[in-house]
Amino acid sequence: DTAVSQTPKYLVTQMGNDKSIKCEQNLGHDTMYWYKQDSKKFLKIMFSYNNKELIINETVPNRFSPKSPDKAHLNLHINSLELGDSAVYFCASSHDWTGSSYEQYFGPGTRLTVT
Amino acid sequence: GENVEQHPSTLSVQEGDSAVIKCTYSDSASNYFPWYKQELGKRPQLIIDIRSNVGEKKDQRIAVTLNKTAKHFSLHITETQPEDSAVYFCAALQTSGTYKYIFGTGTRLKVLA
């Protein structure tokens, strides 16, 4: 019954490795997001997809590559992990803004630790 | 683009007192303002929101007010309880250019028993 789910919940890996985080939503939303929350708790948008199309790509290193195979899924692949990538990554979803519903819902987060 | 400022960064109140968190936004075209509560180790949870055509909205002990002229919106929690302790985020939906949610920097609320 989970609305927005992410896997894995925890990810511990070494510098230089490549890793992926997966996200799925069953809310019927059109738009999905990736946010990064650093140690100071700032929530920063990284990417946004609307109907599988990339619409927001903030200033994020190109080691980060999102992929949306369909409206319900948004994955994040990170190449050549660096210490500074350690953070909590949240997936979120919402309807697009053509309708009347603007609520955005977050997944449980993936705590990435790079050693 | 939109910028959202949030104050204070930390707030301690005695149980039963009220707490107020304030945000200002820069983009006058923003039209939706949600508030999120994030408990330690958990996801941000939407607790209340307000549209730009409404000045105030209330849900039990929580209320949000919006002053469009001044570009201010505030979260009010009355009769605070220890379980209200969390980090609270305001956000504004930027509608100029690409639609996106811009978050404030968060307020850590501690309710002292």
Side-chain angles (χ1 to χ4, degrees):
Chain A
D1 217 27
T2 307
V4 185
S5 58
Q6 282 178 240
T7 53
K9 192 162 170 59
Y10 300 97
L11 192 47
V12 181
T13 188
Q14 291 186 325
M15 282 173 53
N17 284 348
D18 303 339
K19 290 292 177 187
S20 292
I21 308 171
K22 296 190 176 190
C23 178
E24 177 179 1
Q25 55 92 7
N26 62 6
L27 296 166
H29 287 163
D30 310 288
T31 307
M32 296 184 73
Y33 313 79
W34 280 112
Y35 287 87
K36 179 180 181 181
Q37 188 172 46
D38 61 22
S39 56
K40 292 185 179 176
K41 301 293 186 188
F42 297 148
L43 268 169
K44 195 162 169 19
I45 182 84
M46 299 173 68
F47 301 103
S48 173
Y49 272 76
N50 179 260
N51 281 315
K52 303 192 296 175
E53 183 183 338
L54 180 67
I55 55 169
I56 294 175
N57 184 349
E58 294 291 289
T59 314
V60 177
N62 57 15
R63 298 182 295 104
F64 291 77
S65 50
K67 276 196 173 54
S68 180
D70 56 57
K71 272 178 29 170
H73 295 86
L74 179 62
N75 304 323
L76 183 65
H77 188 76
I78 316 170
N79 289 326
S80 305
L81 278 154
E82 300 178 357
L83 291 176
D85 298 332
S86 295
V88 180
Y89 292 84
F90 285 102
C91 176
S93 71
S94 71
H95 283 297
D96 65 22
W97 305 281
T98 58
S100 60
S101 173
Y102 292 163
E103 292 89 350
Q104 181 180 72
Y105 295 96
F106 283 82
T110 296
R111 182 175 293 277
L112 172 64
T113 304
V114 183
T115 61
Chain B
E2 176 67 281
N3 183 45
V4 177
E5 293 189 4
Q6 183 172 346
H7 299 282
S9 56
T10 59
L11 179 59
S12 292
V13 298
Q14 287 294 132
E15 183 178 358
D17 287 351
S18 295
V20 180
I21 303 170
K22 298 183 179 184
C23 289
T24 60
Y25 61 99
S26 59
D27 184 355
S28 55
S30 292
N31 63 359
Y32 172 69
F33 306 91
W35 285 89
Y36 288 84
K37 175 184 180 183
Q38 187 178 25
E39 296 177 36
L40 190 61
K42 301 282 180 68
R43 74 186 81 194
Q45 293 250 346
L46 179 66
I47 55 171
I48 196 167
D49 56 13
I50 193 166
R51 301 277 182 112
S52 58
N53 58 351
V54 174
E56 184 172 359
K57 185 176 176 182
K58 194 171 179 183
D59 182 4
Q60 299 182 351
R61 295 186 298 107
I62 293 172
V64 57
T65 58
L66 172 65
N67 181 330
K68 277 181 62 178
T69 305
K71 297 185 201 164
H72 290 169
F73 58 113
S74 300
L75 178 71
H76 304 253
I77 307 174
T78 58
E79 300 170 28
T80 53
Q81 300 165 5
E83 51 265 38
D84 294 331
S85 297
V87 178
Y88 291 81
F89 292 95
C90 64
L93 177 61
Q94 171 187 294
T95 61
S96 301
T98 306
Y99 277 56
K100 60 182 173 182
Y101 300 87
I102 307 297
F103 282 81
T105 48
T107 296
R108 186 176 299 277
L109 174 64
K110 286 186 188 175
V111 179
L112 308 169

